[in-house]
Amino acid sequence: MGRPLRPLGVVIALASATLALGACSSGDVDGGRSASSNGTAPDPSPASSAAVGPSASASTGRPRRATGRVKVLHTVTTGIRVPWGIAELPNGRVLVGSRDTGRIYRLDVRTRTRRAVGTVTASVTNVGVGGEAGLLGLAVSPAFATNHRVYVYFSTRRDNRIGWMTYRNGRLSQPHVIVAGIPHGVHHNGGRIAFGPDGMLYAGTGESMVPSLAQNRSSLGGKVLRMTPAGKPAPGNPFGTLVYSYGHRNVEGLAFDPAGRLWASEFGDHTADELNLIKAGHDYGWPATQGKTSNPKYTSPVAQWGTSVDSPSGIAYANGAIWMAALKGERLWRIPLHGAAAGKPRAFLVRRYGRLRSVLALGPHRLLVTTSNRDGRTTPRRGDDRVLLVEVS
C-alpha cells in the first residue's frame, strides 16, 4: 500500500522509528518491541514476559497466560505472487488467493503442500508498479457444509465486486456477483471481507483516492459494509443501505473478538495509521481528520502508529490480542485488548521477512502470516512470497 496522495487534513504529530534486525530462520523466537498506542517509537529492549491476560490453551483447554512471544515454526509454502485473501475451510485446510494472478490455492498446513483450485478470471492484474487492485479478500460461508460457498472480493476494470464461488470436488466456480459498484482505483481498493457472529458478511472498502467518497453515504467507497449472504443490506444497518460505518480511507483488515466486537485496520495519510473499533453509524473522520481527534463528530481510533512503522493490512484476533500485519513497517504488531480498549502494542519479526500482508488465526496460539514482497514496493527475496506458520504466546 503506497501513499501517493496527501490531501489536507488535521495533522497529528507522531514520533516514529524503524528498527532493523537481521534475518531469522524457521524456529526463531521473537520477544518483540514495545510501542505506546499513540504511535511512539519502538523500545529497543526485548519485551518482558509479564502476563497480559488469560487465554485458553489449544492443547489442554486450560487458561494459559500470554507472554507476548512469537515463534516462526516454518514456511508453509513459497512462490505465491502477493498472497492477499486467506480463509480456513471447515476441514482445517486453508484457501489463499494471489492478488496479481487471480489464482486460489488450497494449502495443507500439516504437510506443507498446495494445490490450485480455481482462478477468478475477472480480477485484473495491477496497472503499473504498486497497483493494489486484483483478487483481494476471501471468506468461507458459515453454512459451507450445506452451500459450499466461498466469498471473494475482486476487481474488474471498472469496479470492485463481491461474489460467491461454489467449492465442490476440489474446484471453485467463477464468482456469482452479489455486490458491484464498489469504487475502484490503482490505489485504495480496501478488500478484506469477514463473516461476523451474526451471520452477516462485512467488507472493508477504500475511497479509491477520491477522499470525498469516504463522507458520501451514497457511495460504497471508504466504508465498512454489512450485508446478508445474498448481498442485501443487513437488518439493523444504520442507514438502511449496505453502509455500516463511514469516513474511512482504506480498510484492509477486519477481525471479530470473542465478544463479537468488530476491529478494523486503516491506512492513514503520512501521519497516523489506525486500529479502529467499528460501531454502527459512526463517522471515522477521513478526510477531515486522521488519528485521535477531539472533534465529537468523529470516532477516534483505539490505537495509532506513525506510518513509517505500520501501513496496516490484515488483522486477526488470537490469544487476547489483535495481531496486525504491517507493510511498510515490515513487522507483526500485537495489540492486547482489554474489553473495548487497547493496551500497549508490541512489534515482532521486525524487518525479518519484509512486508507482511495478511494474518489468519488457527486457534488461539497459531497464526498464518503472509508476506507481500512481490507487490511492486520492494525488492523480492528468494522464495517470495511466502506463507509462515507462527506460534504466539
Side-chain angles (χ1 to χ4, degrees):
M1 158 57 208
R3 304 179 191 278
L5 179 68
R6 187 173 183 174
L8 294 177
V10 177
V11 178
I12 304 169
L14 294 173
S16 62
T18 57
L19 181 65
L21 295 181
C24 74
S25 61
S26 175
D28 280 351
V29 177
D30 191 332
R33 308 291 179 202
S34 62
S36 69
S37 60
N38 65 3
T40 55
D43 182 343
S45 62
S48 71
S49 58
V52 174
S55 61
S57 167
S59 58
T60 66
R62 295 192 298 271
R64 190 168 96 186
R65 288 194 177 277
T67 61
R69 295 183 71 80
V70 163
K71 180 179 181 180
V72 177
L73 299 178
H74 56 253
T75 296
V76 178
T77 192
T78 61
I80 297 178
R81 190 172 185 89
V82 191
W84 210 106
I86 187 166
E88 187 177 12
L89 292 166
N91 63 7
R93 292 180 178 176
V94 172
L95 297 178
V96 60
S98 164
R99 186 194 70 180
D100 291 2
T101 68
R103 295 189 186 94
I104 299 176
Y105 301 92
R106 186 187 69 200
L107 305 184
D108 188 315
V109 176
R110 183 181 60 83
T111 62
R112 307 187 209 180
T113 57
R114 79 171 188 244
R115 176 189 174 201
V117 294
T119 302
V120 180
T121 57
S123 63
V124 297
T125 300
N126 289 289
V127 180
V129 175
E132 296 163 5
L135 174 58
L136 301 173
L138 296 174
V140 173
S141 168
F144 181 85
T146 56
N147 65 22
H148 307 285
R149 289 179 181 176
V150 174
Y151 285 73
V152 60
Y153 186 118
F154 64 98
S155 306
T156 73
R157 297 193 181 279
R158 298 183 303 276
D159 62 359
N160 290 301
R161 300 180 178 186
I162 299 171
W164 54 259
M165 310 168 75
T166 302
Y167 182 64
R168 285 194 174 93
N169 301 318
R171 298 295 299 174
L172 283 162
S173 68
Q174 284 299 301
H176 169 81
V177 176
I178 61 172
V179 175
I182 300 170
H184 166 281
V186 176
H187 306 286
H188 301 185
N189 291 285
R192 199 68 61 177
I193 55 176
F195 277 96
D198 57 0
M200 299 296 110
L201 181 64
Y202 294 74
T205 73
E207 33 78 313
S208 65
M209 292 184 65
V210 183
S212 61
L213 293 182
Q215 290 294 321
N216 180 355
R217 296 207 303 259
S218 297
S219 170
L220 299 180
K223 309 294 189 296
V224 172
L225 309 178
R226 177 175 177 261
M227 67 198 73
T228 68
K232 304 300 181 183
N237 277 7
F239 311 114
T241 66
L242 294 174
V243 174
Y244 191 67
S245 64
Y246 64 107
H248 299 288
R249 186 169 183 260
N250 191 30
V251 176
E252 287 193 8
L254 296 174
F256 289 89
D257 68 20
R261 289 178 285 253
L262 175 59
W263 303 84
S265 62
E266 181 163 349
F267 288 89
D269 177 42
H270 297 278
T271 298
D273 291 328
E274 302 175 351
L275 177 68
N276 286 299
L277 176 59
I278 301 299
K279 297 182 179 180
H282 282 224
D283 181 351
Y284 289 80
W286 179 253
T289 185
Q290 57 184 298
K292 295 185 183 296
T293 177
S294 60
N295 190 327
K297 289 176 54 178
Y298 307 123
T299 300
S300 288
V302 297
Q304 67 186 59
W305 295 260
T307 55
S308 65
V309 295
D310 200 11
S311 294
S313 190
I315 62 174
Y317 175 89
N319 200 31
I322 292 291
W323 297 84
M324 175 188 287
L327 292 164
K328 186 175 181 180
E330 298 187 1
R331 64 198 67 196
L332 179 67
W333 285 104
R334 175 184 179 273
I335 307 104
L337 299 183
H338 309 293
K344 188 176 184 178
R346 289 176 184 261
F348 298 87
L349 309 181
V350 180
R351 297 195 180 279
R352 295 190 175 183
Y353 293 94
R355 294 163 61 82
L356 302 183
R357 171 69 65 177
S358 297
V359 189
L360 175 69
L362 301 178
H365 300 294
R366 289 195 173 186
L367 308 172
L368 289 180
V369 178
T370 75
T371 69
S372 192
N373 294 320
R374 297 179 69 184
D375 61 9
R377 301 304 180 88
T378 190
T379 301
R381 307 177 183 199
R382 184 178 180 181
D384 282 334
D385 276 313
R386 65 191 68 231
V387 180
L388 305 170
L389 180 62
V390 178
E391 184 176 71
V392 300
S393 59

